């Protein structure tokens, strides 16, 4: 086995949509690392060929919900058998269904894991929904991943072009994109902020409220990716400096942390395209954005506090 540790990275960022090179897998392995490839955001629109010599990670994460929208809560860890055996030797804990036997009075407590992958299936798997995965995969196979990939790339390209073309009457841009502004090295996820006529970022909470009122579903917030969000929004060691952070529990919610950092937000707006997306979806979004924010000066007054990211 490799001794330097585990190198984990996403094939596609769920924040900016940027696609990181799959060649990093072999590069990391050559430097002594096991590799965990998070393919959850990548696989819904692109195939991943694990038979290629340059892309044979020890572990791959998959979310079936992200591929075909159902069932929720079902994912999987694809693992090489030799890598899984190394995990077995180093796992100090157990849960229901993962052990052959336990001696509670031993010091320390002794247990023997069951052989095979079951040693890592803590608790009872969702066996009623797991068969649905096969039907989802057959459905995707019938459509064809190349067709889905081409469709999503077209929609993403149109969206990026129109987002960059949006202007207030004074000529100032109406949006700021976080991540690639073209189709190079990116997937169908686009993170951005809307800008008012003065160039100020429109609070993502306001966008969430007003888009919902227009019956448009937009993802807003930090997208469960604080590192990428901080990088995209310019929060670095210079911003953090030697600030005194509050206790682990934020009694004032996320707003308390933003006050410490001296920044207005750690969030943005995100649009993600998939096999169900249509050109009409784009038209509806841009109709809403132009009507609601063009030539407008916004304020955050009256918005509900940020309890969390």
């Amino acid at each position: 086995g490799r001794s330097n540790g585990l190198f984990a990275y996403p094939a596609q960022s769920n924040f900016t949509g940027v696609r990181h090179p799959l060649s990093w897998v072999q590069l990391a392995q050559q430097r002594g690392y096991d590799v965990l490839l998070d393919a959850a955001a990548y696989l819904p629109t692109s195939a991943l060929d694990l038979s290629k010599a340059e892309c044979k990670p020890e572990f791959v994460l998959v979310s079936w919900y992200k591929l075909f929208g159902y069932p929720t809560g079902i994912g999987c860890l694809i693992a090489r058998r030799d890598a899984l055996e190394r995990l077995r030797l180093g796992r100090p804990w157990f849960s229901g269904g993962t052990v052959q036997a336990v001696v509670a009075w031993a010091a320390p407590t002794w247990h023997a894991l069951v052989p095979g992958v079951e040693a890592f299936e803590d608790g009872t798997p969702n066996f009623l929904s797991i068969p649905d995965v096969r039907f989802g995969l057959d459905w995707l196979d019938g459509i064809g991943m190349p067709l889905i990939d081409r469709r999503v790339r077209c929609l993403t390209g149109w969206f990026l072009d129109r987002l960059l073309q949006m202007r207030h009457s004074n000529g100032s841009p109406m949006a700021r994109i976080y991540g690639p502004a073209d189709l190079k090295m990116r997937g169908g996820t686009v993170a951005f902020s809307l800008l008012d006529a003065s160039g100020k970022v429109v609070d993502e909470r306001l966008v969430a409220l007003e888009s919902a009122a227009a019956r448009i579903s937009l993802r807003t917030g930090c997208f469960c990716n604080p590192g990428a969000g901080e990088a995209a929004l310019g929060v670095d060691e210079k911003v953090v400096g030697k600030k005194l952070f509050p206790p682990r529990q934020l009694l004032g919610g996320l707003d308390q942390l933003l006050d410490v950092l001296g920044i207005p937000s750690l969030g943005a707006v995100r649009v993600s395209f998939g096999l169900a997306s249509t050109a009409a979806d784009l038209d509806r979004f841009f109709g809403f954005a132009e009507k609601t924010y063009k030539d407008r000066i916004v304020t955050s007054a009256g918005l509900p506090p940020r309890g969390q990211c």
Side-chain angles (χ1 to χ4, degrees), residues 79-90:
R80 295 176 63 91
R81 289 186 175 86
D82 57 339
L84 204 61
E85 189 59 31
R86 295 200 297 279
L87 281 185
R88 171 189 300 277
L89 297 174

Side-chain angles (χ1 to χ4, degrees), residues 144-164:
M145 291 306 294
L147 177 60
I148 295 172
D149 180 64
R150 185 163 59 252
R151 179 185 182 86
V152 167
R153 286 184 64 80
C154 287
L155 291 173
T156 305
W158 294 341
F159 184 83
L160 290 168
D161 289 344
R162 292 179 67 175
L163 201 61
L164 292 171

Side-chain angles (χ1 to χ4, degrees), residues 79-255:
R80 295 176 63 91
R81 289 186 175 86
D82 57 339
L84 204 61
E85 189 59 31
R86 295 200 297 279
L87 281 185
R88 171 189 300 277
L89 297 174
R91 187 176 187 183
W93 70 91
F94 64 90
S95 298
T98 64
V99 289
Q100 288 179 310
V102 178
V103 179
W105 285 103
T109 301
W110 176 89
H111 67 276
L113 294 173
V114 297
V117 299
E118 287 80 8
F120 301 94
E121 294 179 349
D122 296 331
T124 303
N126 188 354
F127 56 84
L128 291 178
S129 293
I130 289 175
D132 295 329
V133 173
R134 176 181 175 181
F135 292 97
L137 290 173
D138 288 343
W139 180 55
L140 287 181
D141 190 52
I143 298 171
M145 291 306 294
L147 177 60
I148 295 172
D149 180 64
R150 185 163 59 252
R151 179 185 182 86
V152 167
R153 286 184 64 80
C154 287
L155 291 173
T156 305
W158 294 341
F159 184 83
L160 290 168
D161 289 344
R162 292 179 67 175
L163 201 61
L164 292 171
Q165 290 169 8
M166 283 203 309
R167 290 286 188 273
H168 294 285
S169 295
N170 62 10
S172 63
M174 289 182 61
R176 176 185 300 151
I177 297 173
Y178 305 113
D182 55 30
L183 292 177
K184 295 178 182 177
M185 297 294 291
R186 72 135 54 249
T189 298
V190 183
F192 60 96
S193 289
L194 292 170
L195 307 176
D196 73 4
S198 69
K200 176 184 174 184
V201 170
V202 179
D203 194 303
E204 76 276 3
R205 293 171 296 172
L206 182 62
V207 178
L209 289 170
E210 295 184 332
S211 62
R215 302 182 66 82
I216 295 175
S217 178
L218 296 176
R219 179 73 160 91
T220 61
C222 304
F223 318 133
C224 305
N225 195 336
E230 290 175 8
L233 297 168
V235 178
D236 54 20
E237 63 273 10
K238 293 180 180 179
V239 174
V240 175
K242 296 183 179 180
K243 290 182 171 64
L244 183 62
F245 286 90
R248 295 287 182 178
Q249 184 177 4
L250 292 171
L251 299 179
L254 180 62
D255 288 326

Side-chain angles (χ1 to χ4, degrees), residues 28 43 56 68-69 104 120 129 155 190 193 210 234 260 270 291 299:
L43 286 174
K56 290 184 177 294
F68 28 79
F120 301 94
S129 293
L155 291 173
V190 183
S193 289
E210 295 184 332
V260 171
R270 187 180 71 185
K291 179 181 177 181
T299 174

